Amino acid sequence: MSSDSLPPLPQNRIVLGCGQVAVDFLATVASFPNPDDKIRSTSLKVQGGGNAGNASTCAARLGLNPRLISKVSNDSHGKGILEELEADGVDTSFFIVSEEGNSSFTYVIADSQTNTRTCIHTPGYPPLIPEELSQSSLLSALDGVNMVYFDGRHHETALVVAKEAARKNIPILVEAEREREGLDDLLDFATYAICSAKFPQAWTEAPSVPSALISMLLRLPKLKFVVVTLGEEGCIMLERSVNGGSDAEEMDVHCLLESLKLIKDDSKTIPTCISSVETKLSANGIGTITGRLFVGTAEKIPPSELVDTTGAGDAFIGAVLYGMPPEKMLPFAAQVAATGCRALGARTVLPLRTDPRLASFL
């Protein structure tokens, strides 16, 4: 598809990420080994990884201009990380490069039998600290930025960036993959949150995902929406009403979710999205939020095409950075994530904006 036939890119295309970059050593195996087993890989790939690195790469391929704040060592892994990001169009000029220590790396074992992946991560050392990011660099990094994204790593430095972004009224997207040191402080500044399947309940101690989403919006007054990604089950999103919606009908959030699931079209293989009208959503023992509930489906990937889900969540976030309204954003992000699952590695087949599989979503 030619770029001439595509709708124009967002007016402000500059986004800033802050978080983890790494080298991924990806091995596919026929089935996961037992203790003391010696097995052979069926394929091997070495490429850049890390949540923020992957999401920024995805955003760059979709036509955005991502900048990234992170840290590597001046070793072979670090040099490779920077070269790969730069080749994809990610601005690495705000990286800290340490003359000592090691860059982050991860061993990823992709199990063909169960379509699962296991990660063994070695963090970079020494870690990024706020003193390494000068005030002038921080202001330059934020200049003209449309959105800031945090993956929850380098939490002390991330908090400094978040405070300055909030002072400048720049929207903040926080990825909540699992509970981490300093994540609560970041979430306090979040305009948007994207969570893994288990995070909302773990963080709120609510009895279900829908009630946990209500709890998150009640606990985080700056939060405009929260999305929970559910793999092949798609995603659920709760968006806070802007005007309060005092005339909205009250309904139990679980009942509303079930009614939306009943009307979604399971015959479609491409991602879709259905939403409620503005509703006063209640969860017993937790409280009430006025807003809209969305149910997004995932692409039904044929088993023969599903190779590796590494980085699918990062790709989803990279597509969210594009900045669409929810009805378009959720199917678009799901399609981008699914496209990336068709080869070994998080970045191998991340789509370009001109990819014909994205045409109907743009």
Side-chain angles (χ1 to χ4, degrees), residues 38-60:
K38 288 185 177 179
I39 63 169
R40 289 190 175 187
S41 62
T42 54
S43 59
L44 177 72
K45 192 167 196 72
V46 181
Q47 71 174 191
N51 296 33
N54 294 337
S56 298
T57 298
C58 179

Short mmCIF file of all heavy atoms in Angstrom, two decimals, residues 38-60:
data_model
loop_
_atom_site.label_atom_id
_atom_site.label_comp_id
_atom_site.label_asym_id
_atom_site.label_seq_id
_atom_site.Cartn_x
_atom_site.Cartn_y
_atom_site.Cartn_z
N LYS A 38 18.97 -32.05 28.07
CA LYS A 38 19.75 -31.36 27.05
C LYS A 38 18.96 -31.44 25.76
O LYS A 38 18.71 -32.53 25.24
CB LYS A 38 21.13 -32.00 26.87
CG LYS A 38 22.08 -31.76 28.03
CD LYS A 38 23.45 -32.33 27.72
CE LYS A 38 24.43 -32.02 28.86
NZ LYS A 38 25.77 -32.59 28.60
N ILE A 39 18.53 -30.29 25.26
CA ILE A 39 17.72 -30.28 24.04
C ILE A 39 18.33 -29.30 23.05
O ILE A 39 19.19 -28.50 23.39
CB ILE A 39 16.25 -29.90 24.33
CG1 ILE A 39 16.16 -28.47 24.89
CG2 ILE A 39 15.60 -30.88 25.29
CD1 ILE A 39 14.74 -27.93 24.95
N ARG A 40 17.84 -29.38 21.81
CA ARG A 40 18.29 -28.46 20.77
C ARG A 40 17.19 -27.47 20.44
O ARG A 40 16.01 -27.80 20.46
CB ARG A 40 18.67 -29.23 19.50
CG ARG A 40 19.95 -30.04 19.66
CD ARG A 40 20.41 -30.58 18.33
NE ARG A 40 21.70 -31.26 18.47
CZ ARG A 40 22.41 -31.72 17.45
NH1 ARG A 40 21.94 -31.59 16.21
NH2 ARG A 40 23.56 -32.32 17.65
N SER A 41 17.61 -26.26 20.09
CA SER A 41 16.64 -25.28 19.61
C SER A 41 16.29 -25.61 18.16
O SER A 41 17.09 -26.19 17.43
CB SER A 41 17.23 -23.87 19.70
OG SER A 41 18.37 -23.77 18.87
N THR A 42 15.07 -25.23 17.77
CA THR A 42 14.67 -25.41 16.37
C THR A 42 14.94 -24.15 15.56
O THR A 42 15.03 -24.20 14.34
CB THR A 42 13.18 -25.80 16.28
OG1 THR A 42 12.41 -24.82 16.98
CG2 THR A 42 12.94 -27.17 16.90
N SER A 43 15.08 -23.00 16.26
CA SER A 43 15.52 -21.76 15.61
C SER A 43 16.07 -20.83 16.68
O SER A 43 15.74 -20.95 17.86
CB SER A 43 14.38 -21.10 14.83
OG SER A 43 13.31 -20.80 15.69
N LEU A 44 16.90 -19.90 16.25
CA LEU A 44 17.54 -18.97 17.18
C LEU A 44 17.59 -17.58 16.55
O LEU A 44 17.83 -17.45 15.35
CB LEU A 44 18.97 -19.43 17.50
CG LEU A 44 19.79 -18.51 18.42
CD1 LEU A 44 19.27 -18.59 19.85
CD2 LEU A 44 21.27 -18.88 18.38
N LYS A 45 17.33 -16.56 17.39
CA LYS A 45 17.42 -15.18 16.90
C LYS A 45 17.97 -14.30 18.01
O LYS A 45 17.62 -14.47 19.18
CB LYS A 45 16.03 -14.68 16.46
CG LYS A 45 16.08 -13.38 15.67
CD LYS A 45 14.78 -13.10 15.00
CE LYS A 45 14.91 -12.05 13.92
NZ LYS A 45 15.61 -12.52 12.73
N VAL A 46 18.82 -13.35 17.64
CA VAL A 46 19.33 -12.36 18.59
C VAL A 46 18.89 -10.99 18.09
O VAL A 46 19.18 -10.62 16.95
CB VAL A 46 20.87 -12.42 18.69
CG1 VAL A 46 21.37 -11.39 19.70
CG2 VAL A 46 21.34 -13.82 19.08
N GLN A 47 18.15 -10.26 18.93
CA GLN A 47 17.70 -8.92 18.52
C GLN A 47 17.40 -8.07 19.75
O GLN A 47 17.36 -8.57 20.87
CB GLN A 47 16.47 -8.99 17.61
CG GLN A 47 15.20 -9.39 18.28
CD GLN A 47 13.99 -9.31 17.35
OE1 GLN A 47 12.87 -9.41 17.81
NE2 GLN A 47 14.18 -9.13 16.05
N GLY A 48 17.23 -6.79 19.51
CA GLY A 48 16.92 -5.86 20.59
C GLY A 48 15.60 -6.19 21.24
O GLY A 48 14.68 -6.70 20.60
N GLY A 49 15.51 -5.88 22.55
CA GLY A 49 14.28 -6.13 23.29
C GLY A 49 14.09 -5.08 24.37
O GLY A 49 14.63 -3.98 24.30
N GLY A 50 13.34 -5.45 25.40
CA GLY A 50 12.98 -4.52 26.46
C GLY A 50 11.67 -3.83 26.12
O GLY A 50 11.45 -3.43 24.97
N ASN A 51 10.79 -3.69 27.12
CA ASN A 51 9.45 -3.16 26.85
C ASN A 51 9.47 -1.81 26.15
O ASN A 51 8.83 -1.61 25.12
CB ASN A 51 8.67 -3.02 28.17
CG ASN A 51 8.42 -4.36 28.84
OD1 ASN A 51 9.23 -5.26 28.75
ND2 ASN A 51 7.31 -4.47 29.53
N ALA A 52 10.22 -0.85 26.71
CA ALA A 52 10.24 0.50 26.13
C ALA A 52 10.92 0.50 24.76
O ALA A 52 10.50 1.23 23.85
CB ALA A 52 10.95 1.47 27.07
N GLY A 53 11.96 -0.31 24.61
CA GLY A 53 12.63 -0.42 23.32
C GLY A 53 11.71 -0.97 22.24
O GLY A 53 11.67 -0.45 21.11
N ASN A 54 10.95 -2.02 22.60
CA ASN A 54 10.02 -2.61 21.63
C ASN A 54 8.87 -1.67 21.28
O ASN A 54 8.52 -1.52 20.11
CB ASN A 54 9.45 -3.93 22.19
CG ASN A 54 10.50 -5.01 22.35
OD1 ASN A 54 11.53 -4.99 21.68
ND2 ASN A 54 10.24 -5.95 23.23
N ALA A 55 8.28 -1.04 22.31
CA ALA A 55 7.15 -0.14 22.06
C ALA A 55 7.58 1.06 21.21
O ALA A 55 6.85 1.50 20.31
CB ALA A 55 6.55 0.33 23.38
N SER A 56 8.79 1.56 21.47
CA SER A 56 9.30 2.70 20.69
C SER A 56 9.57 2.30 19.25
O SER A 56 9.30 3.07 18.31
CB SER A 56 10.58 3.25 21.33
OG SER A 56 10.33 3.72 22.64
N THR A 57 10.11 1.10 19.05
CA THR A 57 10.35 0.58 17.70
C THR A 57 9.04 0.47 16.94
O THR A 57 8.92 0.87 15.77
CB THR A 57 11.05 -0.78 17.76
OG1 THR A 57 12.32 -0.63 18.40
CG2 THR A 57 11.24 -1.38 16.37
N CYS A 58 8.02 -0.05 17.62
CA CYS A 58 6.70 -0.18 17.01
C CYS A 58 6.16 1.19 16.59
O CYS A 58 5.68 1.37 15.47
CB CYS A 58 5.74 -0.86 17.98
SG CYS A 58 4.07 -1.04 17.34
N ALA A 59 6.27 2.16 17.51
CA ALA A 59 5.77 3.51 17.21
C ALA A 59 6.50 4.12 16.02
O ALA A 59 5.89 4.77 15.16
CB ALA A 59 5.95 4.40 18.45
N ALA A 60 7.81 3.88 15.93
CA ALA A 60 8.60 4.42 14.82
C ALA A 60 8.15 3.81 13.49
O ALA A 60 8.00 4.51 12.49
CB ALA A 60 10.08 4.15 15.04
#
